[in-house]
Amino acid sequence: MFQARAGDHNDLAMPGAAAVGAMLAARLGLPASVIGRPEPALNSGWRSELDAALPALRALAEHHAAILRRGAVPLTAATRCAVSLAMLPVVASQRPDACVVWFDAHADFHTPHTSASGYLGGMVLAGACGLWDSGLGAGLAVGNVVLVGGRDIDPAEQALIDAGTLRLVTAGAGLADELRRAIAGRPVYLHLDCDVLEPGIVPTDYRCTGGLSLAELGAACAVVAEHELVGVEIAEFEHAWQAGGAPVSPAALLDALRPLLERLPAGA
């Protein structure tokens, strides 16, 4: 599990990732490795956020690479989407055949020059695809990215989708079939930003209406489970609905991921 800050607006995702990681370890009977330590959120621009996160992100990249090198499947409880800046280049290097299935309400395909907000988490896929230099590597082919459930998409990102550069699978009755076609038999590395879900299901930083239900997420995971699983990362689960609030269990979320978790090989 990743415990350092990485583009956090608040302090809720660090204990959230700890809760997800602890429950995954208990359910799967696996030891949990911890990368980084919690610190107060900076809630600042992308450059200062990235500089502060880089030591922990580099440690995570090394850890991720070691898991993939031994042929195991990394399962990561991350805090924020920005953490994927460390992991996606490793996946692209070691498994260039893998399709990155990106469950997220947002496309996360901005660069520092196109982002109006300067939010680091909104630049992850663009960084991994080499559109800007994060200092953590690149190498991910845009054609190997499938965005699922995206709906809060900025015009520049929508232009990439409209041009067919970035593949979007939308929520709805045909999601499972469309996702299967988009994966096209390739191995899958799955990223889950919890804001892909309908607001009110689990606590998240961003809340965008029109999201997936847990049943729809489970059905989509069943499609992914039909393919070779390269890795799974779970991000943006917040510990409570508000600062100081009662802790929220990730149990229902992890229940929806059961089709994937059941496919993990021993020692994942």
Side-chain angles (χ1 to χ4, degrees):
M1 67 185 79
F2 187 82
Q3 284 290 276
R5 60 192 176 193
D8 296 76
H9 287 144
N10 59 50
D11 298 331
L12 294 173
M14 287 173 270
V20 170
M23 187 168 286
L24 283 171
R27 287 190 176 193
L28 297 173
L30 296 172
S33 299
V34 180
I35 305 293
R37 60 182 179 85
E39 294 182 272
L42 293 176
N43 196 15
S44 62
W46 74 271
R47 183 72 265 176
S48 57
E49 294 281 6
L50 181 58
D51 288 345
L54 272 175
L57 292 178
R58 286 175 175 146
L60 178 62
E62 292 175 4
H63 183 70
H64 214 60
I67 293 171
L68 287 172
R69 277 196 299 269
R70 67 173 187 260
V73 178
L75 177 59
T76 307
T79 51
R80 303 298 182 184
C81 286
V83 177
S84 299
L85 285 166
M87 296 183 283
L88 294 181
V90 174
V91 174
S93 173
Q94 297 205 27
R95 291 300 306 264
D97 57 331
C99 170
V100 174
V101 176
W102 192 265
F103 285 85
D104 200 317
H106 309 88
D108 292 346
F109 221 87
H110 276 295
T111 72
H113 300 293
T114 65
S115 173
S117 67
Y119 178 55
L120 183 62
M123 306 177 188
V124 177
L125 286 174
C129 290
L131 276 67
W132 66 282
D133 183 9
S134 70
L136 291 159
L140 178 63
V142 181
N144 279 352
V145 176
V146 177
L147 174 64
V148 182
R151 55 200 184 276
D152 187 6
I153 298 172
D154 292 331
E157 297 169 321
Q158 186 63 50
L160 294 173
I161 294 168
D162 292 343
T165 304
L166 180 62
R167 181 74 177 262
L168 171 64
V169 174
T170 56
L175 186 149
D177 289 339
E178 188 179 352
L179 178 57
R180 187 177 290 108
R181 288 193 295 270
I183 295 172
R186 292 174 288 181
V188 174
Y189 183 86
L190 184 143
H191 167 92
L192 172 63
D193 179 338
C194 291
D195 72 16
V196 77
L197 296 169
E198 181 67 17
I201 295 176
V202 298
T204 58
D205 189 13
Y206 289 96
R207 300 172 188 180
C208 307
T209 58
L212 277 63
S213 67
L214 287 175
E216 289 169 327
L217 175 62
C221 287
V223 171
V224 173
E226 297 170 3
H227 305 79
E228 179 191 353
L229 191 60
V230 174
V232 178
E233 55 187 52
I234 304 166
E236 302 285 349
F237 177 84
E238 296 197 335
H239 184 57
W241 291 103
Q242 58 190 12
V248 174
S249 171
L253 174 69
L254 298 187
D255 287 346
L257 301 182
R258 185 175 289 119
L260 292 178
L261 301 180
E262 289 176 345
R263 287 292 309 276
L264 290 172

